[in-house]
Structures are given as C-alpha cells and as structure tokens.
Amino acid sequence: MNLNLELMLPEGFLLISALLMMVIDLVISDRQKNSFFSNLSIVVIAITMLLTSGTVSMESNLAFNGFIRKDLMVVLSQLLLLISGIFAVLLSHNYIEKFSLKYKGEYYYTLLFALLGGMLLVAANEFSTLFVSLEVMSISVYILVALFKDDYRGKEAALKYFIMGSVGAAILVYGFAILYGLTGVTTYDGVSELVNKNGVTLALLFSIALVAVAFLFKTGAVPFHAWVPDVYHGAPTPVTAFMGAVVKVASFVAFLRLFFPVFVSFAKNWTPAIELVAVVTMFAGALLALNQNNLKRMLAYSAVSHTGVILAAFVTVPALASFVVLFYLFVYVFVTLAAFGMLSLLTTKGLKGESAEDWGGLYKKSPFLALSAVVIFMSLAGIPPFAGFWAKFYLLTALLREGFITLALAVVLSSLMSLYFYLNHLSMPS
Amino acid sequence: MNEVFFYLFAGLSVAFAAVAVTAKNIIRGGVALLGSFVALGAVYFTAGAEFVGIVQVIVYGGAIVVLYLFALMTMDLKKMKEDPFRAGSVAIGSFLSLAVIVLLITGGLTVGGEVEPQISGATEIAMPLFYKFLLPFEIVSVLLLVATIGAVAIGRRDS
C-alpha cells in the first residue's frame, strides 16, 4: 500500500488545525472570539498555503493508493482556493462585528472544513473520494449560510441550497454507480482504461450525462441555475463571496479533471451538449441580470453568465481547456471576491444597502469606493485594461484556434449584453 | 439441517411481515416488523453470511424499528385507526409487489449458477474499507463531524 502521506501534509495540517480550533472554542471568552479566530484562521490558511507550495512539482504524484493525484494544476487551484479563503475570513471579521452571530468559533472552523473539502475535491482521483469531499465542502457551506442569528433570509437560502444540492449529489452518485457497474473500478485511471477498451455505449453516455448534470448543478449552469440567485442573495455577504469563489473553483476544477483525463477519448460525444449548455447559460444569465434591482441578485446572475463562458472553454479539450479554465477562474475569483467584498464593506459600514437606488451618489460619500466599483464592474464585463478582459481574451483565442467561431461570437455578444447591466448600476442618479 | 432452518426462518419472516402490514394496532405492527427483521437476520446466518446477519439485527432490528416506534409514539394514533385497505392503495400496492416478484423470479432464473460465498464475512468488508478505501472513509468521518456541529449550531433553540 502506497500512502505517500507527505503529499497530504497541507490537508492534514488544515484538518488538525480546524479540529484544534474546536477545542480552543470551548475555553476562550465570547468577547475575544471574533478577532482571535479570524487571526488564527488567517495564520492557519497561510501556513497551509506554504505547505501546499512545498508540494508543487511538474510531474503528477499519487497518494493513498492513487486516490489522490497532485500535479501542477491541482496545486495551483488549491492555492487559489486558500487565497479565496483568506479573503473570505477578512470579510467575515467586520461582518460578524456588525451582525450578531452566536457561533463565532463554529463559523471559522466550518469555513476551514469547507476549504479542506475543496482542496480534497480538486485533488480527488477516484469517485468515492470525489463524492465525499464534495459533500464536506457543500455541507460546510450550507451551515455557513444558515449560521447567523435571526437571519431568516439566510436560513431559507440554506434550506433551498441544501435540498437542491442533495438532489445534485444524488444524481452524481447515480452516475458513478452506473460507471462502476460498467467498469468495476472507481479510480480515474482504471475507469479511463476500461472505458477506452470497451468503447462508447448508451449506458456509458447516460452515466456521463448524469455526472455532468451534477457538476452543472454545482457550478450553477442553466437549466440547473434556479438556486443561484436565491442562495447568493440570501446568504450573508462574506459567505456569498466564499461560495462564489471557493465552491465555483473547486467544482470547475473537479469537473475538468474528471472529464479531461477520463472521458477525453470520446470528447466529440459530449462536447456538443456542453457547448449548448454554455451558450444557453451565458445568454440566460445576462438576460436575467438585466432587470435585477438587488445588487446581490444581479451579481448572482452575472455569475451564472460567467459559468456559461467558462463552460465554453471546456469544448477545447484536450488542447487548451485546462490552461484557459484555470486562468479564467484565477481572474474570476479575485473579481468576484472584490465585488462581494465591496458589498459587504458597504453594508457593514452602513454606507449603502443592496438595492440599486442606494447606490446613487456613492461618489460623493466615498470617491475611492465608487472608483473601485467602476474597476470591478468593468473587469467583470471584460473591458480591455482590466484582468477580466485578459481572461476572456485567452478564452476567445483558444476558441478561435480550435475553430469554434460561433461559440466565440456568443461569448462576445453575452459580454456586451452584460455590459449594459453593469453600467446601468454604475449610472444610478443620486 | 441448515436448510430446514433456512426455510423455517424465511417463512417466519414472511409471516411476521404479513402481520406487520395487516395489524390494526400500529404498535403491534411495529413489533411484528421487528420480528420479521430478526428472522431475516437468522436467514442470513443460515446462508453463511454472519456479518450481514449481525448488521441486519443491529441496524434494522435495533435502530430502525426503534426509530419507527419513536416516530409512531409522537403521532396521534387515534386518527390512524381508519381502515387502511382502500381500493386505490391496495391496487397500487399489489401491482408494485407483483412487479417486484416477477422481476425477482425472472432474475433468479436467468442469473442462476453458483454464487461466490466469500463476500459476506467481516474480513471481506473490513479489508476494502480500512485498506483500499481508507481516505474516503476518513473523509466521511470529517463529514459526519461537520454535519453534527452544523445540526447542533443551527437547530439549538436560543435561550
């Protein structure tokens, strides 16, 4: 048995720290909890980042009998998850100061458990590991959404998210069960080998469709996007930022890592479906965002639209997909954290609310924040000097090089449509 | 000798199950269900699957029947006294059971052959669980911990 435990050092450290925090939570006084645990969480995540950087290597390494695979893409996306975790903790501190939360310790270590689930999810190289780490992440996030006191909107959002997420998880397991029935193994390598040998059958395509549906659920693609606006809107804003960054990155990377090595040999059978979902998602997200008065809902629909754009990059497997998706996610994470972070800042400072009318005259109160809002929204829309443009630029280049001209046109059109609602929010009269 | 016990317990299990469905007193039905589960556990023992038999008695006979009885005690039983044998539910129930029986018989006839006996012991279950699937098993323990914390933190009534 080849455990290769030193490869799992970052995850192990994160797990043990979170468990220790549960014990410390019992002895510390309630007044100090918020500052203490937010500082401790940042230190823990920073050390985990250092340890994770130590596992960087150009070749792929296996741990736990091949149940975990760590290559460059995995380590980079793990670092991305951890950075988002640090930002989410920073946002949470002020939010908890302002709004009452009875379970401060629980909040912080549940956040760490969610990060642990995300880290394992991107590194998973086997079906049951993938499923249980996805559940660790999801259940931690359900808890984070519902944890604030007297926050009925949050509790409603958590219940919706929980029910939808459980259905998604059930569909995922159903797909895995059929795949296991077809091949008799659960590791990616074994399944990929046997699938290549046996050829494409109807049962195989059915199981792949189920697995894809589950991931589309998690990433919030149309027609499985119904939970996104309600949950993004209802959740406490730092948790929304966490969901928008960590859950999205982890689900997309796991999605890509499952479909890229395992099902890539018959990519032409499933890329048309992904292509269709991508186009529908990017336009539906942009259209639905047009009429949103609440800023969080608007950002949620824009997240749906971005999901469509990222999915469009999936059709370029095997050539460019990994690079393009990872780079897009890298940019998207920072812009999303900035957008929701600004909302959180404005609500905790009591400057502005979430509805569009409140935004009029922001420049007079705080010119710096108003200018940041311009930068963030322009970056989300993909206007040239900002990072969002470069993400879309590489994506379009990849699409054009592989000859997906209509898809590239769709990406450009949906970006233009999204520009309307971003600008609309910026031009609110005071 | 083993076969005698096999058919004896199988018959007992079916008989208890019939009582569980038809009993007018719902507590009596629950106890009959317990009898059916324990008899089924004995059937597993006679078939040579000790571990499955033990799990059957502990999980179904212990936990699940107790859960049923607890749930029944929280309900208002007087309202449940009405006749359960309405035409619609009998029709749906018998159709489903008939379909399952047909499936089982055709399945049993087509599969046939010898079944591998070495899949039911404690070792055969422990080896994959604690050796090959060690990592998912450990992550499940984290999952249960997180879920417990969340359930307590969200569900606790504020004083």
Side-chain angles (χ1 to χ4, degrees), chain A residues 31-357:
Chain A
R31 221 159 21 83
Q32 300 169 318
K33 267 185 189 171
N34 192 16
S35 337
F36 179 78
F37 278 117
S38 54
N39 288 330
L40 186 62
S41 308
I42 289 175
V43 170
V44 165
I45 299 174
I47 296 176
T48 314
M49 280 181 76
L50 275 179
L51 293 173
T52 310
S53 332
T55 58
V56 169
S57 91
M58 291 311 274
E59 68 242 39
S60 70
N61 299 304
L62 296 176
F64 277 101
N65 309 320
F67 280 32
I68 289 282
R69 178 195 290 279
K70 288 209 171 175
D71 49 25
L72 194 60
M73 183 177 176
V74 169
V75 176
L76 286 180
S77 40
Q78 281 184 337
L79 287 173
L80 191 56
L81 293 175
L82 291 167
I83 294 172
S84 333
I86 287 187
F87 281 114
V89 172
L90 285 172
L91 291 176
S92 305
H93 177 263
N94 283 349
Y95 198 85
I96 292 173
E97 290 283 299
K98 166 96 179 175
F99 298 97
S100 67
L101 171 64
K102 206 174 164 200
Y103 303 101
K104 300 188 180 77
E106 281 83 351
Y107 180 90
Y108 286 108
Y109 58 68
T110 309
L111 201 140
L112 292 191
F113 278 126
L115 271 181
L116 175 74
M119 284 180 77
L120 288 166
L121 178 59
V122 295
N125 198 35
E126 193 259 353
F127 291 154
S128 57
T129 313
L130 178 89
F131 174 67
V132 290
S133 36
L134 179 72
E135 281 303 285
V136 169
M137 183 180 74
S138 309
I139 286 185
S140 308
V141 174
Y142 306 147
I143 294 166
L144 287 176
V145 173
L147 210 53
F148 274 81
K149 195 183 168 189
D150 297 333
D151 177 17
Y152 292 105
R153 219 174 61 180
K155 297 213 193 301
E156 184 194 330
L159 190 65
K160 280 180 189 164
Y161 193 20
F162 175 64
I163 293 170
M164 298 296 241
S166 310
V167 172
I171 292 173
L172 184 71
V173 175
Y174 196 34
F176 283 168
I178 297 176
L179 271 174
Y180 178 67
L182 288 173
T183 57
V185 286
T186 56
T187 55
Y188 286 7
D189 309 326
V191 171
S192 131
E193 191 182 311
L194 281 163
V195 157
N196 286 341
K197 209 172 70 187
N198 296 346
V200 182
T201 58
L202 190 64
L204 180 67
L205 289 178
F206 184 60
S207 66
I208 292 174
L210 289 173
V211 173
V213 163
F215 276 109
L216 294 176
F217 238 119
K218 280 285 160 205
T219 51
V222 177
F224 313 106
H225 68 294
W227 60 273
V228 178
D230 285 351
V231 174
Y232 275 38
H233 178 204
T237 316
V239 181
T240 312
F242 186 79
M243 277 195 293
V246 169
V247 175
K248 198 145 235 176
V249 170
S251 319
F252 261 120
V253 173
F255 192 9
L256 186 64
R257 279 173 44 78
L258 178 58
F259 275 63
F260 179 30
V262 184
F263 304 135
V264 77
S265 56
F266 45 99
K268 63 176 187 304
N269 285 324
W270 53 265
T271 43
I274 298 280
E275 202 176 329
L276 181 69
V277 172
V279 172
V280 173
T281 305
M282 62 180 97
F283 280 110
L287 280 173
L288 289 166
L290 289 181
N291 243 343
Q292 297 302 326
N293 191 39
N294 185 294
L295 213 66
K296 264 166 112 178
R297 282 190 96 81
M298 188 274 275
L299 284 172
Y301 280 116
S302 111
V304 171
S305 177
H306 279 280
T307 297
V309 175
I310 301 173
L311 276 177
F314 272 59
V315 301
T316 59
V317 289
L320 298 156
S322 321
F323 167 72
V324 172
V325 170
L326 198 60
F327 185 70
Y328 200 101
L329 285 172
F330 179 77
V331 171
Y332 176 76
V333 157
F334 286 101
V335 184
T336 305
L337 284 169
F340 286 113
M342 195 177 60
L343 263 179
S344 172
L345 184 69
L346 291 174
T347 42
T348 49
K349 281 198 167 173
L351 268 177
K352 295 285 162 192
E354 289 166 9
S355 73
E357 283 81 26

Side-chain angles (χ1 to χ4, degrees), chain A residues 1 15 19 22 65 67-68 102-103 109 113 120 126 128-129 132 135-136 139-140 143 146-147 186, chain B residues 130-136 139-140 142-143 145-147 149-154 156-159:
Chain A
M1 183 153 88
L15 173 63
L19 292 176
M22 293 174 63
N65 309 320
F67 280 32
I68 289 282
K102 206 174 164 200
Y103 303 101
Y109 58 68
F113 278 126
L120 288 166
E126 193 259 353
S128 57
T129 313
V132 290
E135 281 303 285
V136 169
I139 286 185
S140 308
I143 294 166
L147 210 53
T186 56
Chain B
F130 296 108
Y131 188 83
K132 194 175 166 208
F133 288 87
L134 178 64
L135 182 67
I139 304 174
V140 165
V142 176
L143 175 65
L145 178 70
V146 174
I149 294 166
V152 172
I154 295 169
R156 194 153 82 181
R157 194 166 293 168
D158 294 326
S159 49

